[in-house]
């Protein structure tokens, strides 16, 4: 019988390895367990034991520790606040009706006192503001009055509309009394500030003859005599040109008079403020 004629059973048995004896299989198992002792031990542990072994001892990082401390502090603060609120609410809930009415009355009285104090403070504020405004207004009026008095006294400069009158005396015939007449006529016409050749004319100004020239308050001036006058030009110029007035008198003395109107005349000659020797204010 040829190989092809062998039974399938015999052919399969030849191809399979021979069975390992029982003693040899046991030796192989023991060697495997000895080589992998950990695996054997882990296989002997139960699921609960493995869970406990994974959780203990705990492995906590620094970040986890900080977060835990913060959460503990936050929880403690919330617990204290809740306890405090609970104590307050409990105290009010446990209070008698008479005590609650008394507490409400005290709160109403305190609220009223605070409202009265608020109104009093607002009243003081308004009084201070009014006083401040009145003081500011008084200060402004004082400054304005001082400026006006300074203009009249010649201690401050002034500017405004007016005229410029120039007297050209080529013959030397103009005398002090003629210039004084011109000053008086200008004052009567409403002149508020007058300056003659750099000398401020005030209430106590006097003029004298000094040879071929004139002296104003001791200051010698020469022709041509130039008057700078602040006032209403529509009144000043006609007052000088009236028949028999200043202009005609000077022209008779062969002097030439020129009058010019202007919207801006500057009188900047100043007089030193003089303190009176004997006069004192009578106001208390």
């Amino acid at each position: 019988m040829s190989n092809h004629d062998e039974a399938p059973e015999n052919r399969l048995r030849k191809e399979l390895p021979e069975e390992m004896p029982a003693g040899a299989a046991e030796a192989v198992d023991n060697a495997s367990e000895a080589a992998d002792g950990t695996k054997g031990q882990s296989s002997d542990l139960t699921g609960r034991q493995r869970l406990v072994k994974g959780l203990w001892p705990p492995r906590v990082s620094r970040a986890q520790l900080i977060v835990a401390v913060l959460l503990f502090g936050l929880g403690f603060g919330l617990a204290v606040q809740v306890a405090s609120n609970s104590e307050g609410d409990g105290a009010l809930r446990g209070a008698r009706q008479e005590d609650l009415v008394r507490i409400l009355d005290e709160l109403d009285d305190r609220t009223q006192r605070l409202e009265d104090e608020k109104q009093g403070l607002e009243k003081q504020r308004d009084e201070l503001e009014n006083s401040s405004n009145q003081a500011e207004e008084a200060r402004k009026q004082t400054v304005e009055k001082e400026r006006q008095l300074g203009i009249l006294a010649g201690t401050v400069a002034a500017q405004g509309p007016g005229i410029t009158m120039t007297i050209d005396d080529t013959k030397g015939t103009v005398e002090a009394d003629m210039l004084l007449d011109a000053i008086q006529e200008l004052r009567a016409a409403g002149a508020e500030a007058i300056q003659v050749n750099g000398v401020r004319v005030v209430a106590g100004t006097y003029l004298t003859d000094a040879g071929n020239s004139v002296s104003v308050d001791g200051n010698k001036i020469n022709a041509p005599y130039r008057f700078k006058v602040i006032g209403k030009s529509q009144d000043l110029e006609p007052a000088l040109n009236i028949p028999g007035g200043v202009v005609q008198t000077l022209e008779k003395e062969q002097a030439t008079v020129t009058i010019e109107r202007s919207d801006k005349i500057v009188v900047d000659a100043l007089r030193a403020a003089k303190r009176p020797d004997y006069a004192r204010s009578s106001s208390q």
Side-chain angles (χ1 to χ4, degrees):
M1 183 181 295
S2 64
N3 293 337
H4 296 285
D5 295 335
E6 291 181 5
E9 236 176 74
N10 295 332
R11 192 167 52 250
L12 181 60
R13 183 176 296 275
K14 289 182 180 181
E15 293 176 358
L16 292 174
E18 295 183 1
E19 295 182 359
M20 183 179 291
E26 184 177 356
V28 171
D29 292 339
N30 292 334
S32 299
E33 291 179 0
D36 193 3
T38 304
K39 182 177 179 180
Q41 294 176 0
S42 62
S43 62
D44 293 339
L45 296 176
T46 65
R48 182 176 181 180
Q49 290 175 341
R50 285 196 299 271
L51 177 62
V52 172
K53 186 176 180 181
L55 296 177
W56 190 265
R59 297 178 180 85
V60 181
S61 65
R62 183 177 180 183
Q64 293 172 340
L65 181 61
I66 293 174
V67 172
V69 171
L70 293 176
L71 291 176
F72 174 77
L74 179 60
F76 181 76
L78 292 175
V80 171
Q81 184 175 2
V82 170
S84 176
N85 294 336
S86 299
E87 290 176 0
D89 295 341
L92 292 176
R93 283 195 296 267
R96 296 179 302 172
Q97 184 177 359
E98 295 80 2
D99 295 335
L100 294 175
V101 172
R102 179 178 55 81
I103 292 173
L104 290 176
D105 292 339
E106 291 177 353
L107 290 176
D108 292 339
D109 294 340
R110 183 178 180 185
T111 301
Q112 186 62 39
R113 288 195 302 271
L114 292 175
E115 184 65 24
D116 295 340
E117 184 178 356
K118 175 186 174 183
Q119 293 178 359
L121 293 174
E122 290 178 348
K123 183 178 180 180
Q124 292 180 4
R125 181 197 61 188
D126 295 339
E127 291 177 352
L128 290 174
E129 289 179 352
N130 293 333
S131 176
S132 177
N133 294 335
Q134 292 175 1
E136 180 65 19
E137 183 63 25
R139 188 190 67 82
K140 291 180 179 179
Q141 292 180 2
T142 301
V143 171
E144 180 63 20
K145 188 175 182 180
E146 182 181 358
R147 187 186 67 84
Q148 294 174 358
L149 293 175
I151 291 175
L152 297 177
T155 57
V156 297
Q159 67 177 22
I163 64 170
T164 300
M165 180 176 67
T166 304
I167 302 174
D168 193 2
D169 181 22
T170 58
K171 303 294 184 179
T173 57
V174 176
E175 297 179 352
D177 58 344
M178 300 177 185
L179 299 183
L180 182 59
D181 290 340
I183 293 174
Q184 297 293 356
E185 195 68 45
L186 290 170
R187 284 175 174 171
E192 297 178 353
I194 303 174
Q195 174 178 318
V196 182
N197 284 36
V199 180
R200 187 71 168 266
V201 177
V202 295
T205 294
Y206 62 93
L207 286 81
T208 58
D209 292 321
N212 293 330
S213 60
V214 177
S215 177
V216 181
D217 291 336
N219 300 294
K220 186 177 180 180
I221 60 175
N222 299 314
Y225 306 110
R226 184 181 301 274
F227 287 70
K228 291 184 178 181
V229 186
I230 295 177
K232 189 176 180 180
S233 59
Q234 293 86 343
D235 296 336
L236 297 175
E237 183 177 0
L240 297 172
N241 286 316
I242 60 175
V246 174
V247 174
Q248 287 188 0
T249 300
L250 291 172
E251 289 178 348
K252 287 179 180 180
E253 298 296 330
Q254 299 182 355
T256 303
V257 181
T258 304
I259 300 176
E260 296 179 357
R261 297 185 183 186
S262 176
D263 293 333
K264 183 179 180 181
I265 300 294
V266 178
V267 175
D268 52 5
L270 303 180
R271 301 291 290 266
K274 184 180 179 181
R275 182 182 180 87
D277 296 328
Y278 306 101
R280 295 292 182 269
S281 175
S282 60
S283 61
Q284 299 297 327

